[in-house]
Amino acid sequence: MKVPIIMLGSVSELQGYIDKTQLTEDLGGTLDYCHNRWLSCRTAIEGFAQKVKQTAQILQSFGTELAETELPNDVQSTSSLLATHTEKKDKMKEDIRLAVEQGDDILESITKPVTENPEYKLNQDQLDNQTTVERLLAQLHETETAFDEFWIKHQQKLEQCLRLRNFEQNFREVKAALDIVSERLSTFTDVGNSCSHVEHILKDLANFEEKSCETVAKARMLASEGDAFIQSNHYAVDSIIPKCSELHHLCDAFTTETERRRNLLNKSLELHGLLEKSLKWCDEGIYLLASQPVDKCQSQDGAESALQEIEKFLDAGAGNKIKELNKIYREYAHILNEDLKEHVQKVFQKQESMEEMFQKRQVSLKKLAAKQTRPVQPVAPRPEAFVKSPCTSPGLQREYVSNSESSVLRRVNCRRGKSEMTELHQSRGGSTMDDEENLAVLRQHVMNELIETERAYVEELLCVLEGYAAEMDNPLMAHLISPELQNKKDILFGNMEEIYHFHNRIFLRELENYVEFPELVGRCFLDQMEDFQIYEKYCQNKPRSESLWRQFSDSVFFQECQRKLDHKLSLDSYLLKPVQRITKYQLLLKEMLKYSKNCEGAEDLQEALTSILGILKAVNDSMHQIAITGYDGNLNELGKLLMQGSFNVWTDHKKGHSKVKDLARFKPMQRHLFLHEKAVLFCKKREENGEGYEKAPSYSYKHSLNMAAVGITENVKGDAKKFEIWYNAREEVYIIQAPTPEVKATWVNEIRKVLTSQLQACREASQHRTLEQTQSLPLPASSCTSPSRNHIRNTKKMEERKADLTSLEGYGTAVAPKYPEKGKGWAKTSHSLDASEENDGWSSAEDPLNSSDAEEEGGGGGGEMKLTPGKYTVVTDYEKGVSEEFTVKSGELVQLIREGEDGLWYVKNLSTGKEGWIPANNLLMLIGNSKSAQSLSSSESGTASSTLSTSSSCSDSCNASSTSFSDIKG
């Protein structure tokens, strides 16, 4: 290709070939282009782009450094780190500001011609440069915005960390101060030895409490600060909550202990005051006796005067005496140490001695006051009198006779005292009789209180029903009832009328029949125990009733009813009466039982008390159950609610995500569990705002486990409060931590009872069907190993086995009722596991076939069952095989491998690993109606949706699932 070359000699010749618009001004054209200017602008743009890139990299590097920085553990380091990071951030912000200014300058230089001349149009290069610079500025702004957002979060975390370190440091200081004041408080153990001493200790305690108030106030303020951190979603909530709880606990414990010490000292002051009054009374009594002149008491008037003086003193000082020593011991038992107890005994002994002295003085004075002046009669004295009398004076003679009478009285009293002491030492019969009489009096007192309060309760119920409930239907009062309150009587009063009729017509009359036999009143409660269930309905309605009352408590209608009844308390106080009454019974029964332990009705009283407590528990549980939300099914279908409570729960599922499993090991879930007869529900407790019953928590349903597929492990290593609930052969494992070991034991026992009852039902059904199948099987044919003899022996062993219940260890049940699907609140049962699955806690069960399964296996006629290869559970023992010694035990798992000649089957005992040949007829006896686990797992039949791991399953007309008992201990 040839290209022509033209040599031009001038600009005008050039313009002949190229248009002026395409030529620059130095060539005589109109194109606004300067190469130096283009180079300068392009260089500035490239430098700005490099600056933006470097800034983005530096910001990213700085952000990574901030994110990877470990938070310090002390206040000073945290403050330094925050200051350092803030300084670096400010420097980065300054660099970004300079870069933005650089970009703005470049953009301004590009658009300067347009700014100077609005009619000027930028060429394509200028437009491209403008677009590039604007894009770089936008990128820089985005980077700055992202960095600002990251910095705000990082700064907030550092500030939270600094507040946390300050909180922790203050916590350590406050806790140390609280420990000091608590230790100082523990030294206030002396209860004093006199009133003045106790008053001095009380004064010291008050001074100490006043000085400690500042420390307690700081602790409470710090706890409030921690609560504020929790409310603001602090990142270290898990660390703050225990410290706040500890502070609240220490403050409350200090306050409680201080109050307890003060109450003890006040009790001690009261006791010492009583003792000092008694001692003062004794001293005054001794002074009184000593001040009575003997000569004046010899006359009748003097004796009567002295007697009146003594009686007046005794009457006036009756309130100063210690009346019952045992009562003092009971009332002041918590402050009586050995010294104080000895002091009380001495005071009481002095008081008794004083009273005895008064009694003797009264006896003497009464005798003197009762003497009559005898008329003098001229009687000739008998000679014997003068012979025996040492003196003939009539006065001396009277004195002698008086002394003789006194001597006789002393001898009589002495003999009587000796007789009483002898009887006391020989037999305690009299004391026992007195004790029984005292107990009888106490029992009668409790019975009287029971009947009197029952009558008052019935009257109060009637008053409410007539004065409020009936008035809501009164046309004359209708104008006072707001429209929203009309037709709400059933909500407001619940089944109070039913409760009233039960107590008025039945229970009160039955109680009155036992008024003479209070120790037998337990039978009255037991006879009517079923009727007490009506309280559960009333208590379940109570939240709705109280909510309605709060809405209309200011209603004119209620105020008018209250005025008519002349009640000081409003209606809500009377609506609470049934709740208070049902709790009162257990207190009265406890009192009655305390005084009736050796009586005929003690067992009935104990049973009645247990039943009442059971009703209270059922009422309490039902109040929690009605607060469950989000459960789509019918809770009544789950059976009786047995237990409920809050626990920490960890999950460990085989099919769960690894991260979820790792997280679950460390962070427990707070769950409220509801144990029913047929399922256990997991709910999340949510506190509600409000007052009264509206403040009660609600429970958000999360999931549930079918009890027919549940197993338990009672002990978890490392924590006595933990146990496991596992599901579907440990496919799902829930580690449950109870608040206390006692709560754990109660729950484990209750779950064991549920599982045991299911196992028992399965066994009974299995044994019943096994017996039917055994009776319907034909006698096996004879073989070289004499199967007929084996059949007789096996049949005998089977009968013996049926007579005994086998051990729970390693046994399970697979009978399950027809439950709702998982969407209705149920967890579905999983399919069977292969025999190679881990054998930790596996379970086996007998197989009670339903009628359709029996027809399918036996042809519907009860004929011989066809054997197929697979795994089976042995239902009876087998002693000897064909080829070698081969034994299997009841409950072991065997695998039928292949069928040989002459009706023999090659069998492997999976429990022992041994193999051998067994005649087919004997196999029919060994495995009974046990269905192959392999055949069940491959079957599409709806009668068995799951099987037991490494075992056969129980199938019923409903879905079959597995419940393992292998981990139940005991």
Side-chain angles (χ1 to χ4, degrees), residues 150 297 304 308 310 671 756 811 822:
F150 173 79
C297 294
E304 289 178 351
Q308 290 176 359
I310 290 175
R671 291 292 182 261
T756 304
Y811 213 84
K822 191 169 185 177

Side-chain angles (χ1 to χ4, degrees), residues 25 45 83 217-218 279 410 422 474 602 673 692 696 715 785 789 821:
E25 292 177 354
I45 291 174
K218 286 182 180 179
L279 287 174
R410 282 197 298 269
T422 302
N474 186 356
L673 271 59
N715 297 312
T785 57
R789 197 181 317 119
E821 295 296 326

Side-chain angles (χ1 to χ4, degrees), residues 869-880:
K871 298 181 182 68
Y872 297 82
T873 302
V874 176
V875 298
T876 186
D877 296 345
Y878 180 71
E879 299 292 340
K880 192 173 182 181

Side-chain angles (χ1 to χ4, degrees), residues 797-821:
K797 291 193 174 186
M798 183 180 294
E799 292 174 352
E800 292 174 353
R801 179 175 171 273
K802 289 168 186 172
D804 301 323
L805 287 173
T806 58
S807 171
L808 281 174
E809 190 67 21
Y811 213 84
T813 177
V815 175
K818 187 172 290 185
Y819 297 129
E821 295 296 326

Side-chain angles (χ1 to χ4, degrees), residues 443-690:
R443 286 195 297 270
Q444 194 61 53
H445 174 73
V446 175
M447 191 66 191
N448 292 339
E449 181 181 358
L450 174 59
I451 293 178
E452 289 171 5
T453 54
E454 185 71 15
R455 288 170 180 162
Y457 174 55
V458 170
E459 291 175 0
E460 287 172 342
L461 291 181
L462 178 62
C463 188
V464 171
L465 291 173
E466 291 182 346
Y468 286 98
E471 289 297 306
M472 292 186 73
D473 299 328
N474 186 356
L476 299 178
M477 299 284 285
H479 65 284
L480 299 177
I481 304 176
S482 59
E484 295 83 0
L485 186 59
Q486 292 179 353
N487 302 322
K488 297 289 182 64
K489 184 172 73 171
D490 292 339
I491 296 177
L492 185 61
F493 297 97
N495 62 331
M496 180 182 283
E497 185 174 356
E498 182 183 7
I499 293 174
Y500 165 73
H501 288 311
F502 161 64
H503 284 272
N504 183 51
R505 299 174 182 175
I506 301 174
F507 191 62
L508 177 57
R509 297 180 183 181
E510 291 295 325
L511 281 179
E512 290 172 343
N513 293 334
Y514 289 88
V515 67
E516 299 296 333
F517 311 98
E519 66 276 5
L520 303 179
V521 75
R523 175 51 49 191
C524 177
F525 278 89
L526 292 175
D527 291 342
Q528 313 302 329
M529 196 57 65
E530 186 175 348
D531 292 322
F532 280 105
Q533 303 293 335
I534 58 179
Y535 278 91
E536 185 171 344
K537 179 180 178 182
Y538 185 85
C539 292
Q540 287 178 350
N541 180 70
K542 196 69 177 70
R544 299 173 62 203
S545 173
E546 187 151 308
S547 176
L548 183 64
W549 165 255
R550 263 194 303 276
Q551 296 177 34
F552 301 101
S553 58
D554 297 332
S555 172
V556 180
F557 169 76
F558 292 127
Q559 295 177 2
E560 179 63 18
C561 292
Q562 182 177 350
R563 186 191 64 79
K564 288 182 178 180
L565 294 171
D566 195 21
H567 281 176
K568 296 181 179 179
L569 300 176
S570 55
L571 174 60
D572 59 324
S573 300
Y574 292 91
L575 293 176
L576 195 60
K577 292 291 183 180
V579 181
Q580 294 171 336
R581 187 58 182 171
I582 191 64
T583 56
K584 176 72 173 177
Y585 287 129
Q586 55 104 3
L587 299 176
L588 293 171
L589 285 172
K590 284 180 182 177
E591 286 294 307
M592 186 65 78
L593 182 60
K594 183 168 68 175
Y595 305 134
S596 309
K597 292 185 177 179
N598 298 323
C599 296
E600 177 184 351
E603 292 183 2
D604 287 344
L605 285 170
Q606 182 61 59
E607 186 178 352
L609 175 59
T610 303
S611 300
I612 285 290
L613 292 175
I615 288 176
L616 292 176
K617 177 183 177 300
V619 168
N620 182 55
D621 290 346
S622 67
M623 296 295 289
H624 289 271
Q625 183 180 5
I626 63 175
I628 296 177
T629 60
Y631 183 77
D632 295 335
N634 186 355
L635 290 173
N636 294 328
E637 294 179 357
L638 305 184
K640 182 181 178 182
L641 177 60
L642 304 174
M643 302 282 288
Q644 56 83 24
S646 294
F647 300 88
N648 290 331
V649 179
W650 290 263
T651 60
D652 187 9
H653 300 341
K654 290 183 180 179
K655 295 185 179 180
H657 194 274
S658 60
K659 290 185 178 179
V660 176
K661 291 173 67 176
D662 293 340
L663 180 61
R665 287 196 197 105
F666 302 103
K667 188 174 182 180
M669 297 179 292
Q670 302 294 326
R671 291 292 182 261
H672 201 90
L673 271 59
F674 293 85
L675 176 63
H676 293 76
E677 291 175 323
K678 299 178 182 178
V680 56
L681 271 62
F682 290 75
C683 300
K684 185 173 182 180
K685 186 177 181 180
R686 302 186 185 278
E687 295 291 344
E688 300 293 340
N689 297 323

